[in-house]
Amino acid sequence: MSKSNLTRRGVIKSGAIAGAGVALPTIFTASSAAAYTNEPTGGSVTLGFNVPQTGPYADEGADELRAYELAVEHLNGGGDGGMMNTFSSKALKGNGILGKKVEFVTGDTQTKSDAARASAKSMIEKDGAVMITGGSSSGVAVAVQGLCQEAGVIFMAGLTHSNDTTGKDKKANGFRHFFNAYMSAAALAPVLSKLYGNDRKAYHLTADYTWGWTQEESIKAATEALGWETVNTVKTPLAQTDFSSYIAPVLNSGADVLVLNHYGGNMVNSLTNAVQFGLRSKQVNGKNFEIVVPLFSRLMARGAGENIKGILGSTNWHWSLQDEGSKAFVKSFGTKYGFPPSQAAHTVYCQTLLYADACERAGTFSPCGVVEALEGFEFDGLGNGKTLYRADDHQCFKDVLVVRGKENPTSEFDVLEVVEVTPAAQVTYAPDHPMFAGGALGTCNPGA
């Protein structure tokens, strides 16, 4: 891990952070010599990688850190350059960012919003980070995005899937490459209709925080539009590890589909409990009982083992994609770490390159220059096909994958098969869509 010795320009004056995701009256100032918070004055620039190193999403966080380190290596001219070679923008030269060597600091969000804010605050205040990125929880992302807006630094969101991140909680200084709950539902619904029919009764178990709420809302709306009936929706604590007491009532509910709006270790545990209760071998209403996991990844599929076979879900990206960008990234990551990258690794690698590229194209690290360079930016070569960073909400629009747990995996990494690549047009929505209403993007804060 590298650490910066840069002169601190942006100083956080407030005391300790208290409360998860609460917007506090934190006051950020900058020295009169600085045009913006943490303006790099030496030969290096510091980025802050804020990921869950403990908690239910720790596996995702570990893979994010691997990808961040790989991105820094490539930006500084090491390795084979990875997706810098396939990226449609050719601004990056492998000599750091704007000629400055890229250094980084890391923090543990613990999958807790208050811990994540405190960690990001320290990176900005003590380490001079000019950009914060990371996270595997939407609660964390929303909290840290708000902090970065106050601080006058850019937030390049990592793995965050709640509609709210680029919906009611969007911020001018924040950008999301990862897809969202609405997109998962829009991609999944036609496949669910084709495979399971339109006469279904669904029971939802939902992680009780911003991501779970918007994922449930999205998949519920999409399936009810097909003709499905929602039998019940039950919220579960993020810290829950045994879901037996939540699975038992499903047996007598009349439902013939269980939708697990869970992620990471939560999904592995709830799916395991569902299989232990015999749901996958049941017949209800004259139909085979089905389980759907709207969002999952290779890491989760591996953790779930045999239980994931045949389970449908969606994912942002998968290492088996054959476009040149995906192949380049898989080769680089595999060479360095000995196994293929996850969707979490892919999205944070892309975010790091996109930030660096925006600085190069803008000719500055100033947040407002970066914002201007990213808004409405269209690119290709980073996987998922042609992609747009929409100016209205700072959400990326690209192809989405519908996946299924493989019945006959060839290795511990070959656990998912891509059922359908859903084109970006099918998952695109209007900026004022009701699921994304409320809040305002606002204006860029340079912090000075």
Side-chain angles (χ1 to χ4, degrees):
M1 181 176 75
S2 303
K3 198 160 180 110
S4 170
N5 294 315
L6 299 179
T7 302
R8 191 169 75 238
R9 297 294 190 182
V11 183
I12 300 178
K13 298 294 189 180
S14 71
I17 296 293
V22 178
L24 301 179
T26 305
I27 300 171
F28 295 92
T29 63
S31 72
S32 58
Y36 50 89
T37 300
N38 291 337
E39 179 182 9
T41 55
S44 63
V45 59
T46 300
L47 309 182
F49 301 152
N50 204 23
V51 303
Q53 298 182 51
T54 55
Y57 296 169
D59 284 349
E60 311 287 333
D63 225 34
E64 287 180 324
L65 273 185
R66 295 182 190 106
Y68 281 132
E69 292 185 19
L70 183 63
V72 169
E73 180 181 313
H74 289 165
L75 289 172
N76 286 332
D80 62 7
M83 285 199 287
M84 282 172 50
N85 300 316
T86 60
F87 189 13
S88 57
S89 174
K90 301 304 176 186
L92 297 171
K93 306 301 181 188
N95 63 343
I97 307 175
L98 294 174
K100 296 182 185 293
K101 181 182 179 182
V102 181
E103 298 186 344
F104 64 91
V105 289
T106 66
D108 182 8
T109 68
Q110 302 172 43
T111 320
K112 297 176 181 176
S113 298
D114 52 353
R117 277 182 65 108
S119 177
K121 174 180 181 288
S122 177
M123 290 176 177
I124 297 167
E125 179 183 29
K126 297 178 180 178
D127 302 310
V130 72
M131 182 271 275
I132 301 293
T133 178
S136 289
S137 153
S138 291
V140 162
V142 167
V144 175
Q145 180 169 256
L147 179 87
C148 289
Q149 180 69 36
E150 299 164 21
V153 300
I154 291 292
F155 177 62
M156 299 296 283
L159 198 161
T160 169
H161 192 245
S162 170
N163 292 340
D164 293 347
T165 309
T166 45
K168 70 179 182 63
D169 294 309
K170 60 185 175 287
K171 294 288 186 288
N173 282 39
F175 291 85
R176 171 164 59 180
H177 174 269
F178 205 67
F179 70 149
N180 59 44
Y182 174 92
M183 294 173 172
S184 283
L188 265 174
V191 179
L192 294 176
S193 174
K194 179 181 178 182
L195 296 179
Y196 301 153
N198 297 336
D199 179 23
R200 284 285 186 167
K201 298 181 186 297
Y203 192 112
H204 290 250
L205 292 182
T206 300
D208 193 11
Y209 75 107
T210 178
W211 168 69
W213 305 333
T214 66
Q215 181 60 83
E216 177 191 286
E217 178 188 25
S218 298
I219 198 74
K220 184 170 173 285
T223 53
E224 287 178 355
L226 299 175
W228 288 28
E229 177 187 341
T230 303
V231 173
N232 201 2
T233 59
V234 178
K235 305 296 188 289
T236 63
L238 184 57
Q240 192 75 24
T241 55
D242 184 351
F243 292 87
S244 300
S245 63
Y246 293 96
I247 299 293
V250 179
L251 296 168
N252 300 312
S253 68
D256 47 48
V257 177
L258 173 61
V259 181
L260 293 176
N261 299 301
H262 289 155
Y263 196 74
N266 288 159
M267 184 284 264
V268 171
N269 292 331
S270 62
L271 178 59
T272 299
N273 289 153
V275 172
Q276 288 170 341
F277 271 80
L279 288 182
R280 298 203 68 183
S281 58
K282 284 179 67 68
Q283 275 213 333
V284 179
N285 305 322
K287 306 176 182 70
N288 290 334
F289 195 97
E290 303 291 352
I291 301 174
V292 177
V293 179
L295 173 68
F296 65 89
S297 69
R298 175 183 60 78
L299 295 177
M300 290 159 59
R302 187 177 65 176
E306 293 280 319
N307 297 331
I308 202 66
K309 292 183 176 182
I311 299 288
L312 280 172
S314 69
T315 192
N316 187 66
W317 175 86
H318 191 253
W319 66 268
S320 65
L321 291 176
Q322 291 301 299
D323 62 276
E324 292 306 309
S326 294
K327 289 195 293 185
F329 179 54
V330 171
K331 179 184 176 184
S332 290
F333 192 97
T335 299
K336 187 174 179 70
Y337 299 112
F339 49 85
S342 65
Q343 64 170 353
H346 170 258
T347 207
V348 302
Y349 178 93
C350 290
Q351 284 287 69
T352 308
L353 260 56
L354 286 163
Y355 170 78
D357 175 77
C359 291
E360 292 284 353
R361 290 186 292 108
T364 181
F365 291 100
S366 171
C368 295
V370 173
V371 168
E372 188 175 344
L374 283 174
E375 285 186 339
F377 179 49
E378 294 182 278
F379 59 91
D380 204 346
L382 298 184
N384 299 93
K386 292 182 179 179
T387 305
L388 167 69
Y389 239 134
R390 188 161 69 179
D392 301 85
D393 49 13
H394 297 182
Q395 171 67 54
C396 269
F397 288 88
K398 56 194 184 305
D399 296 347
V400 169
L401 309 181
V402 176
V403 293
R404 177 169 50 202
K406 265 195 171 181
E407 293 290 350
N408 298 297
T410 58
S411 74
E412 63 177 308
F413 306 111
D414 180 38
V415 290
L416 296 180
E417 60 179 337
V418 177
V419 176
E420 187 166 314
V421 178
T422 306
Q426 186 176 315
V427 300
T428 299
Y429 50 87
D432 61 350
H433 187 283
M435 287 187 188
F436 298 84
L441 190 64
T443 56
C444 163
N445 176 22

